[in-house]
Amino acid sequence: MDKLIVATPAARLGFEIDQNQIRLTVVNSNDLSTADPELKQHFQLAEVQVTGRNFHHKGVSFVDTNPGRDLQYLRHTITETSNGKQIAVTQVDAAQTLQVTSYYRLFNTSAVIRSWTTVENIGQTDLGLEYVSSFAVSGLNQFQDLTGNYAEDNQLYIPHNDWTAEAQWKCQTLKDAGLDYWVDGEKNQASTKRISVTNNSSWSCSEYSPNGLLTNTKTQQTAFWQIENNGAWHYELTDIGRGNLLALRLSGPEEFDNHWWKNLAPKATFTTVPVAFGQLMGDYEDALGELTKYRRLIRRENADNQSLAVIFNDYMNGLAGDPTTEKEIPLVDAAHQVGCEYFVIDCGWYAPGYWWDSVGEWQPSAERFPGGIEKLIQYIRDKGMTPGLWLELEVVGIKSPLAKKLPDDWFFMRHGQRVIDADRYHLDFTNPAVREFADGVIARLVEQYGVGYIKMDYNITTGIGTDRHTDSAGDGLLQHNRAYLKWLDAIFAKYPDLVIENCGSGGMRHDYAMLQRHSIQSMTDQTDYVRNGNIAAVGASVVAPEQCAIWSYPLQDGDDEEVIFNMVNAMLLRIHQSGYLNKVKGHRLELVAEGIQAYKTYRHAIPEGLPIWPEGLAQLDDEWYSYGFRNGQDIYLAVWHGVGPQRDHQVSLQKYGQVADVTQVYPQQDTNSRYTAVDSTLNVHFDREKMARLYHIKLA
């Protein structure tokens, strides 16, 4: 038996090669190299199910697939990279018809391992692909505990999403989630149960973020993962072997759950979506810190994620899709006055009235902008701000003049009919004519109108996909997803300084297929500023903090504390300033300016810091909660009091070290709250509900 170790300063993989079989025995802290040979036979690298091949298990999970479980080792290569290593392991099925290569990318500065799989038909006849894993691991969190009850000892964190209630992490044991321990061991078989998390359609985060965490309370290990696809995906936790091994399978779309099936012709290849996986000794916060490092490593280099410019957008609790030159000028003046650096005209600029079902041509409305939209855009530039426009480029309204002019092959189709969702058709970016049209729209906005920022929204979904010129509806969706990403890459190559915000009705598409490319993500469209704080406090768990944009929208008739709460919501992430700032008067407007000015004094530290949650991941409507980032010996911490009677609260900072000093960053003048630091505990008193404060903590 040969042993193979691939390691960087932050990550480690171990393989064993024996009798033409290769097994994954070590992933970072989870070292199972001393496990019994009976268990090791289940440590296969990949799962692949081919149509017509025999399944080797009961139920609908994707363990012991065929030819996945019986693949034979062929070769491996290890490549040095600029910041790590990559290993590629190639296996072949017994029939010599399919070659499977598993790729693992290790980084020097993150415990996260990126993984994907390529399959090639080396036979003479077509092969039907039903499932291909991007990453497969067995024995999850079982280092030094192979006989322990993984169902009771492991806590699973799943981030649930709802429109305006994003990144709501729910935690329960595997047993409470329905997976029991070794239920059929006496029959030498695994159970039929799987904990399955699936996303369908083109909102990649419509119900769940493509992430998960699993902490073993006995061994103190945490496993964590991320799937990087801007459409459908699937992962599952189940048991394998005799029910005594815990297994995780990560993938993009597959047939059973996502309507994906692909015919692989001889000599053809297919590559899965990339995923990320890590394992460490530590808790959920340690895991999310490593994911944050990883997200920064794979992201397109751009100035926006270093400068963290303050953006004003006219929509939220403001113009709400009804812009005109007359309405915008006072907002431009007010945004300039408080220190905003971008000014974005949101939806509605392309139609004189109701526009939802007529979009698609993206020509400015003469009624809304007498003298042309260019005149308003120049006014924004003259105020020293970069102008931006809203766009929803992947749709055409059913009442748009384009809808009747364009052929069906521009659109998503199923069963011979165009797919319609919320009064819109969905464009298919696999069509070169669609991409050429999209190129023209971007060129007009950037080169003719002079915008430097585009808010790219996405408000409809496709269903399971399109079946036109594809093997399955799910594969049609995947091909469109990939074509859109290639188009986006070309746009950024052509306009490297253009900032394109990723928005999907807020946070419905915050995956890292998109966020490898986009520098900024609209996290939510929550209109209640108190609940917006709950979402702001957990946004950095699924999106790097310097990419996570949160609305701050002071109300026309609120008080000082309402303005402060709104500002604190955004001040540790990216500020999306909004509201009728021209109607916010006196000291309340001064508080907006003060918040933005304070943000500019420390925002340079956000892209280098790691997010922290001293009290755990907040839930919607929690009464007290906190979030911060740590950069060296500095912690910037926001503390919120939502709705509830408690006026005093304690935040333990003992995990981070000895507290040397605490100062209040915002607001500077304060008669409604008090704070002290005693024995690394921050004690705060807020004299009413719906209050928030921002502190700077120096560690000894």
Side-chain angles (χ1 to χ4, degrees):
M1 179 177 67
D2 295 325
K3 290 190 175 183
L4 172 65
I5 296 293
V6 183
T8 66
R12 183 169 179 259
L13 289 178
F15 303 86
E16 292 183 2
I17 307 169
D18 186 23
Q19 297 181 351
N20 295 325
Q21 300 288 316
I22 185 167
R23 299 296 182 233
L24 180 59
T25 56
V26 180
V27 182
N28 292 350
S29 63
N30 202 51
D31 186 342
L32 303 179
S33 56
T34 60
D36 188 273
E38 179 194 346
L39 297 179
K40 288 183 179 179
Q41 68 178 318
H42 299 292
F43 294 176
Q44 57 257 42
L45 272 59
E47 299 282 7
V48 183
Q49 187 62 45
V50 171
T51 300
R53 303 282 179 96
N54 187 18
F55 272 92
H56 293 287
H57 61 84
K58 291 183 177 181
V60 296
S61 65
F62 292 106
V63 296
D64 285 335
T65 53
N66 190 350
R69 76 167 195 170
D70 300 320
L71 292 171
Q72 298 179 352
Y73 169 77
L74 192 61
R75 62 180 176 271
H76 73 270
T77 59
I78 300 174
T79 306
E80 298 283 342
T81 67
S82 60
N83 61 346
K85 296 179 181 179
Q86 180 171 299
I87 179 171
V89 180
T90 300
Q91 302 178 87
V92 66
D93 71 330
Q96 298 288 309
T97 60
L98 192 69
Q99 191 165 277
V100 179
T101 302
S102 301
Y103 292 90
Y104 304 94
R105 176 78 166 83
L106 287 71
F107 298 89
N108 290 334
T109 54
S110 174
V112 177
I113 296 155
R114 200 178 203 196
S115 177
W116 65 96
T117 304
T118 295
V119 294
E120 180 182 1
N121 185 341
I122 59 174
Q124 303 300 313
T125 59
D126 291 0
L127 297 174
L129 297 179
E130 299 178 3
Y131 178 87
V132 184
S133 64
S134 295
F135 183 77
V137 62
S138 301
L140 196 65
N141 278 359
Q142 290 184 271
F143 173 57
Q144 295 185 339
D145 193 39
L146 278 167
T147 59
N149 187 328
Y150 55 71
E152 294 181 358
D153 294 339
N154 278 286
Q155 292 183 325
L156 176 63
Y157 295 78
I158 297 176
H160 292 250
N161 285 322
D162 189 0
W163 182 45
T164 71
E166 292 83 356
Q168 299 298 293
W169 291 82
K170 309 298 181 184
C171 178
Q172 58 185 337
T173 66
L174 292 181
K175 184 176 182 65
D176 287 341
L179 184 64
D180 279 298
Y181 174 68
W182 207 338
V183 294
D184 260 339
E186 75 281 0
K187 297 177 182 176
N188 293 325
Q189 65 186 31
S191 71
T192 60
K193 177 64 180 178
R194 63 176 184 167
I195 299 172
S196 172
V197 180
T198 302
N199 183 81
N200 276 310
S201 198
S202 51
W203 266 353
S204 59
C205 306
S206 60
E207 294 184 277
Y208 307 95
S209 297
N211 309 100
L213 298 165
L214 187 74
T215 296
N216 189 312
T217 57
K218 185 176 179 181
T219 66
Q220 303 302 308
Q221 283 194 102
T222 296
F224 49 100
W225 53 90
Q226 171 175 288
I227 300 175
E228 296 161 9
N229 187 38
N230 52 328
W233 50 265
H234 172 82
Y235 73 77
E236 60 184 45
L237 282 153
T238 186
D239 56 331
I240 196 171
R242 291 187 290 166
N244 51 350
L245 282 174
L246 183 60
L248 174 70
R249 302 295 185 257
L250 307 177
S251 77
E254 35 82 9
E255 185 176 41
F256 185 82
D257 298 283
N258 308 114
H259 303 267
W260 177 88
W261 182 89
K262 187 170 186 65
N263 184 68
L264 199 67
K267 299 183 180 180
T269 63
F270 171 75
T271 299
T272 66
V273 305
V275 302
F277 178 83
Q279 189 125 23
L280 51 73
M281 302 302 296
D283 62 11
Y284 74 95
E285 190 178 87
D286 299 314
L288 292 174
E290 292 301 312
L291 268 175
T292 301
K293 295 177 189 177
Y294 166 78
R295 289 163 179 162
R296 291 166 175 165
L297 286 168
I298 65 171
R299 191 174 61 208
R300 175 182 63 91
E301 289 189 15
N302 64 88
D304 184 50
N305 288 145
Q306 297 302 315
S307 65
L308 277 61
V310 177
I311 301 149
F312 183 89
N313 180 297
D314 67 26
Y315 183 84
M316 187 58 69
N317 287 350
L319 297 185
D322 189 25
T324 66
T325 299
E326 183 180 7
K327 294 176 181 178
E328 295 283 9
I329 293 296
L331 283 174
V332 174
D333 293 341
H336 168 68
Q337 180 182 345
V338 299
C340 295
E341 295 154 306
Y342 282 76
F343 188 98
V344 180
I345 303 166
D346 209 279
C347 53
W349 57 269
Y350 34 75
Y354 180 75
W355 49 263
W356 179 266
D357 56 8
S358 63
V359 295
E361 294 184 297
W362 311 115
Q363 298 286 346
S365 166
E367 291 90 338
R368 291 186 180 276
F369 308 105
I373 199 170
E374 296 93 333
K375 184 178 179 181
L376 175 59
I377 288 173
Q378 187 58 50
Y379 186 82
I380 295 168
R381 284 203 178 275
D382 290 344
K383 288 291 183 178
M385 295 182 290
T386 301
L389 283 175
W390 181 96
L391 198 59
E392 191 174 357
L393 198 49
E394 292 169 76
V395 305
V396 172
I398 58 175
K399 293 184 179 179
S400 170
L402 279 179
K404 293 182 179 180
K405 297 177 184 177
L406 296 174
D408 284 345
D409 65 2
W410 275 54
F411 300 102
F412 269 54
M413 303 281 292
R414 282 201 302 276
H415 311 301
Q417 300 291 323
R418 292 185 187 181
V419 174
I420 305 175
D421 184 72
D423 301 322
R424 273 101 165 274
Y425 301 120
H426 197 290
L427 290 171
D428 186 345
F429 270 65
T430 64
N431 186 330
V434 171
R435 299 195 298 273
E436 184 179 355
F437 166 77
D439 287 343
V441 174
I442 299 296
R444 185 169 71 252
L445 267 60
V446 175
E447 298 173 19
Q448 180 180 334
Y449 303 159
V451 306
Y453 187 107
I454 293 173
K455 176 180 177 177
M456 193 73 81
D457 212 340
Y458 188 67
N459 289 303
I460 74 167
T461 55
T462 62
I464 60 175
T466 177
D467 59 16
R468 187 178 179 86
H469 303 312
T470 185
D471 298 326
S472 61
D475 194 50
L477 175 59
L478 180 62
Q479 289 184 42
H480 160 79
N481 294 151
R482 290 176 162 177
Y484 183 81
L485 294 176
K486 288 182 179 179
W487 172 81
L488 194 59
D489 288 338
I491 291 298
F492 280 123
K494 186 175 182 181
Y495 306 108
D497 297 326
L498 179 65
V499 177
I500 305 179
E501 171 193 333
N502 187 41
C503 182
S505 284
M508 295 288 96
R509 195 163 66 165
H510 59 253
D511 60 84
Y512 265 83
M514 299 293 281
L515 289 175
Q516 289 170 56
R517 296 157 171 90
H518 291 279
S519 62
I520 187 167
Q521 169 70 46
S522 177
M523 194 62 226
T524 184
D525 273 351
Q526 174 59 250
T527 58
D528 180 334
Y529 74 89
V530 178
R531 282 184 153 188
N532 199 38
N534 292 110
I535 298 167
V538 291
S541 65
V542 293
V543 174
E546 64 273 17
Q547 292 180 276
C548 184
I550 294 291
W551 292 107
S552 170
Y553 37 68
L555 306 177
Q556 296 179 55
D557 55 356
D559 61 12
D560 284 5
E561 289 299 345
E562 174 265 322
V563 174
I564 295 166
F565 199 112
N566 262 295
M567 294 306 301
V568 172
N569 286 349
M571 286 176 67
L572 292 181
L573 301 158
R574 293 295 299 273
I575 298 178
H576 260 174
Q577 195 64 54
S578 193
Y580 282 109
L581 285 190
N582 57 311
K583 299 179 182 180
V584 176
K585 302 298 184 182
H587 185 245
R588 297 178 68 245
L589 188 63
E590 292 173 2
L591 282 169
V592 176
E594 180 191 330
I596 291 173
Q597 183 57 42
Y599 179 74
K600 291 178 180 180
T601 66
Y602 61 81
R603 61 180 171 182
H604 63 277
I606 295 176
E608 304 298 328
L610 292 180
I612 62 170
W613 294 270
E615 302 175 86
L617 297 164
Q619 299 280 315
L620 207 66
D621 300 324
D622 280 354
E623 180 179 357
W624 285 92
Y625 50 99
S626 57
Y627 159 73
F629 75 87
R630 179 178 179 178
N631 189 332
Q633 297 302 100
D634 292 291
I635 290 176
Y636 285 83
L637 183 72
V639 179
W640 290 267
H641 182 209
V643 178
Q646 297 298 321
R647 298 294 182 257
D648 295 290
H649 187 65
Q650 293 183 331
V651 182
S652 174
L653 302 171
Q654 186 174 4
K655 176 180 180 180
Y656 313 107
Q658 183 67 36
V659 173
D661 184 55
V662 179
T663 58
Q664 184 166 303
V665 176
Y666 178 77
Q668 285 291 314
Q669 302 299 319
D670 189 1
T671 59
N672 296 332
S673 77
R674 301 187 302 272
Y675 69 92
T676 59
V678 180
D679 297 330
S680 294
T681 296
L682 177 65
N683 304 288
V684 299
H685 172 85
F686 293 176
D687 68 3
R688 67 191 72 176
E689 61 182 17
K690 300 182 183 179
M691 289 180 60
R693 294 293 185 266
L694 179 60
Y695 303 100
H696 179 202
I697 297 149
K698 294 287 292 185
L699 300 176

